[in-house]
Amino acid sequence: MVQLAERVEDEVPPMAALAVAIVAVSTSAILIELSSAPSIIKAFYRVLFTTLLLAPLAVTRYRDDLKAFSPRDLLIAVVTGGALAAHFVTWFESLEWTTVAASVTLVQSQPLFVAFGAWALLDERVTRRTVIGIGIALVGMVGMSFAEVISGAAVAGENPLYGNALAVVGAIAAAGYVLAGRSLRQRVSLIPYVTVVYTVCTVVLFSVALTSDATIALTAYPPVEWLLFLGMAIGPGIFGHTVINWVLKYVESSVVSVSLLGEPLGSTLLALFILGQVPGGATILGGIVVLGGIYVTSTAESETAEASEQKMRRETAESAENQD
């Protein structure tokens, strides 16, 4: 398994891997909707199976990396895993109340909250373009959340306002996951990083499941449900988010962020053909506005990061010249 992983890492073009990852994450909402298990159970087994699939690779090839985790790194991993668990709990539940199109589009807005959190918590510079992008996306979110409710469209879901709100909370939790794990990801290799974080996330989700009504149905599922749980782990888990984390090593974050805008489109199309969910006009229009705002924000963040890197290079070059 280790040799196979090394061969794949050496031979697969990063952009091809990114394309596969976008398709994989687009199936997530569909697999969740096809399962009739409680949302917390679906979230728990998705992360559990993803962790079990990655653990053998982590303990064989990356044993030294795992041993090198300091108490501080473990604390960061706990916070990161907790934020990821909150993301899964809220997003999986949102799909119970609103459409795939609305839920996936809103949860994909996490770059907006990453930008805001980096400014509010890490004192990072926010450009005017970033603010404009966030504003555009927020307008789209409000329009998407309220228009279908006012119109009373049947395709909006059982309680679209509640479901959309949960999706936004899921996006905020995902932003917390990104911000909390940013420093740790820079010091630790991908596989040990995600294995430890996923393990923490699994423990948190299991604890939540034990305190909910879903406890009585922890294992009483037919084979098709177990196949769906495994599909969530292999598809969106391994070939989706884990591959995206790997791609970030070779491809600019702005390219990855913009590419991820394909997930709502892919999920909406799959929901149309597989689940028969036809998005309403307000959902489509609001989704376009939200994705436009995310695009503006993502590209603005990229320009800021590139400018900071260029400034650092100039300062380094000037320092070297002065020393000469």
Side-chain angles (χ1 to χ4, degrees):
M1 183 176 179
V2 175
Q3 292 179 345
L4 177 61
E6 292 175 344
R7 183 180 301 176
V8 170
E9 188 168 344
D10 292 337
E11 297 182 1
V12 175
M15 290 306 296
L18 179 59
V20 171
I22 299 304
V23 173
V25 296
S26 297
T27 66
S28 183
I30 310 304
L31 294 170
I32 294 169
E33 286 282 72
L34 289 174
S35 173
S36 59
S39 58
I40 183 60
I41 296 298
K42 289 184 273 193
F44 166 65
Y45 280 120
R46 167 179 164 164
V47 184
L48 173 64
F49 288 158
T50 302
T51 306
L52 293 176
L53 290 169
L54 291 171
L57 183 60
V59 298
T60 53
R61 184 180 177 185
Y62 299 96
R63 185 177 302 173
D64 292 338
D65 295 75
L66 292 173
K67 293 180 179 179
F69 266 77
S70 65
R72 179 175 177 271
D73 287 343
L74 288 175
L75 178 60
I76 295 174
V78 169
V79 175
T80 306
L84 184 60
H87 161 71
F88 281 125
V89 168
T90 50
W91 181 52
F92 275 52
E93 182 65 19
S94 79
L95 287 164
E96 300 286 333
W97 303 99
T98 190
T99 61
V100 167
S103 179
V104 176
T105 300
L106 292 172
V107 83
Q108 190 58 44
S109 66
Q110 60 95 359
L112 311 177
F113 299 105
V114 170
F116 177 79
W119 167 76
L121 302 176
L122 305 179
D123 199 28
E124 292 187 6
R125 179 172 170 264
V126 175
T127 65
R128 180 182 178 184
R129 185 175 177 182
T130 300
V131 175
I132 293 174
I134 293 174
I136 292 172
L138 290 176
V139 170
M141 289 180 188
V142 172
M144 177 185 290
S145 297
F146 286 97
E148 295 283 7
V149 178
I150 295 173
S151 65
V155 294
E158 293 186 27
N159 190 337
L161 194 58
Y162 177 61
N164 292 348
L166 284 174
V168 173
V169 174
I172 295 172
Y177 159 71
V178 172
L179 291 170
R182 179 182 289 180
S183 62
L184 182 59
R185 179 66 184 92
Q186 293 172 351
R187 299 192 302 274
V188 182
S189 300
L190 171 63
I191 298 300
Y193 167 75
V194 296
T195 301
V196 173
V197 171
Y198 289 171
T199 299
V200 173
C201 182
T202 301
V203 172
V204 173
L205 290 173
F206 181 67
S207 301
V208 175
L210 289 180
T211 60
S212 69
D213 295 336
T215 306
I216 58 175
L218 196 59
T219 59
Y221 297 101
V224 66
E225 289 289 343
W226 293 104
L227 289 175
L228 288 171
F229 298 153
L230 186 59
M232 295 176 201
I234 295 176
I238 300 296
F239 286 98
H241 292 287
T242 302
V243 169
I244 288 170
N245 275 289
W246 174 78
V247 169
L248 282 168
K249 179 180 179 182
Y250 305 97
V251 180
E252 291 182 2
S253 59
S254 61
V255 175
V256 176
S257 296
V258 172
S259 299
L260 284 172
L261 299 182
E263 180 186 354
L265 175 61
S267 296
T268 299
L269 291 175
L270 289 173
L272 174 63
F273 292 111
I274 297 176
L275 305 177
Q277 289 188 6
V278 182
T283 299
I284 295 174
L285 180 59
I288 292 173
V289 175
V290 171
L291 295 180
I294 296 171
Y295 174 81
V296 172
T297 302
S298 298
T299 53
E301 289 297 296
S302 173
E303 291 177 358
T304 301
E306 185 177 347
S308 298
E309 186 176 345
Q310 290 177 351
K311 180 180 179 181
M312 185 178 299
R313 288 176 180 173
R314 286 197 303 269
E315 292 176 349
T316 302
E318 291 173 359
S319 177
E321 290 177 359
N322 292 334
Q323 289 178 359
D324 292 340

